[in-house]
Amino acid sequence: MRSTTTLIIALIALAAVQIASAQDETDVRDTRIALIARTAPDSIVLRWGPSTALGWSNANTQGYVVERARLTSNGTIDDDGFVMLTSEPLRPWTLETFRQRVTERSPFAAVAAQMLYGKSSGVSDPSDEIGSMRDAANVFQNRFGIALFAADNDAMAAEGLGLRFVDRTVKSGDEYVYRVRVAPAVAIDSVSARFDTAAVYAQAMASEPAPAPFDAKALGRDRYIEVSWGRELGRNYSGFYIQRSDDD
């Protein structure tokens, strides 16, 4: 009899890049948007994420504008220019929408909902005003990081967080430039984030498969097995599944 046990090792890829880059910002309000594309002959998947917790919070309210321009045969943008692909900016799902769509098969989407709408834990010492502010800031930063982590590991979580869009109106072989920007705020104050615009090139064609893990090793230790593989794959994956086969 053969059975398979699947273990999930979740490694933060895009989330880690965003959080790390946030620490290099000269102003906490300055937020970059990272954008990547995954192509197929009949569709192009876009995934993006903000670089700061403040930007994430602001963008959840303002929404993301997704635009596309088709490239001509000589590499210039056609006469139609950039066209908005949704009728309104993309925002996270409501809590009710999460409740309708999330199942036991989508645990990361449930995590995403918790980061958006869950109650924060209490501060360590409510009488310590400075400590309470620090605790609240840490909780806010943790919510941001975990939300991006969930989006990296599940398409439904990314869509629910307003960080994913699938363009199904492409023509096979055509080349496009996509832009993602945050919609303007109704009111701007001293704590409003300042955003850039992300852009990515994509051609409607089959994507090259991601490289397989290499240099995999399994070493027997005292009462456990140590599994390792090459580190160079980090930017191609958001996580790895490790499968173990038990033969009777």
Side-chain angles (χ1 to χ4, degrees), residues 5-6 16 52-54 57 70 88 118-120 138 170 180 215 233:
T5 301
T6 301
T52 68
L54 175 62
S57 177
R70 190 181 69 83
E88 60 183 29
K119 294 181 179 180
S120 300
N138 289 337
V170 300
V180 173
D215 197 24
L233 295 171

Side-chain angles (χ1 to χ4, degrees), residues 35-39 44-47 178 200-203 207:
L35 172 64
I36 58 177
R38 182 73 174 174
T39 65
I44 295 176
V45 179
L46 302 176
R47 263 281 287 120
Y178 290 90
V200 67
Y201 161 86
Q203 184 176 13
S207 295

Side-chain angles (χ1 to χ4, degrees), residues 47-241:
R47 263 281 287 120
W48 60 87
S51 65
T52 68
L54 175 62
W56 175 62
S57 177
N58 286 179
N60 286 344
T61 300
Q62 296 166 224
Y64 295 93
V65 176
V66 181
E67 300 170 310
R68 183 192 74 192
R70 190 181 69 83
L71 296 180
T72 64
S73 58
N74 61 7
T76 61
I77 294 176
D78 71 6
D79 294 339
D80 291 336
F82 280 93
V83 177
M84 187 172 172
L85 296 180
T86 61
S87 59
E88 60 183 29
L90 292 176
R91 295 180 177 85
W93 292 348
T94 64
L95 180 57
E96 183 59 31
T97 300
F98 271 105
R99 286 171 174 165
Q100 292 172 358
R101 299 186 182 183
V102 172
T103 68
E104 294 181 355
R105 297 173 61 87
S106 51
F108 285 110
V111 171
Q114 179 67 23
M115 294 306 99
L116 286 169
Y117 301 110
K119 294 181 179 180
S120 300
S121 58
V123 297
S124 55
D125 183 2
S127 64
D128 181 359
E129 184 175 354
I130 300 300
S132 297
M133 294 175 61
R134 182 175 58 250
D135 289 346
N138 289 337
V139 169
F140 182 46
Q141 185 69 34
N142 288 339
R143 281 178 176 265
F144 165 60
I146 295 172
L148 291 187
F149 175 68
D152 271 351
N153 283 275
D154 181 58
M156 178 182 289
E159 185 177 348
L161 288 163
L163 302 177
R164 181 178 187 268
F165 178 79
V166 182
D167 182 8
R168 303 186 188 279
T169 63
V170 300
K171 181 179 179 181
S172 180
D174 278 4
E175 299 174 86
Y176 303 92
V177 174
Y178 290 90
R179 294 193 310 204
V180 173
R181 58 184 174 84
V182 175
V186 175
I188 298 177
D189 55 35
S190 60
V191 294
S192 294
R194 300 184 300 216
F195 298 95
D196 69 357
T197 297
V200 67
Y201 161 86
Q203 184 176 13
M205 59 183 296
S207 295
E208 291 291 331
F214 64 95
D215 197 24
K217 300 176 182 178
L219 300 177
R221 302 297 189 185
D222 184 16
R223 303 178 65 180
Y224 70 92
I225 302 295
E226 180 181 288
V227 181
S228 63
W229 55 91
R231 298 179 57 185
E232 289 78 3
L233 295 171
R235 294 185 62 84
N236 294 293
Y237 294 93
S238 58
F240 296 90
Y241 289 93

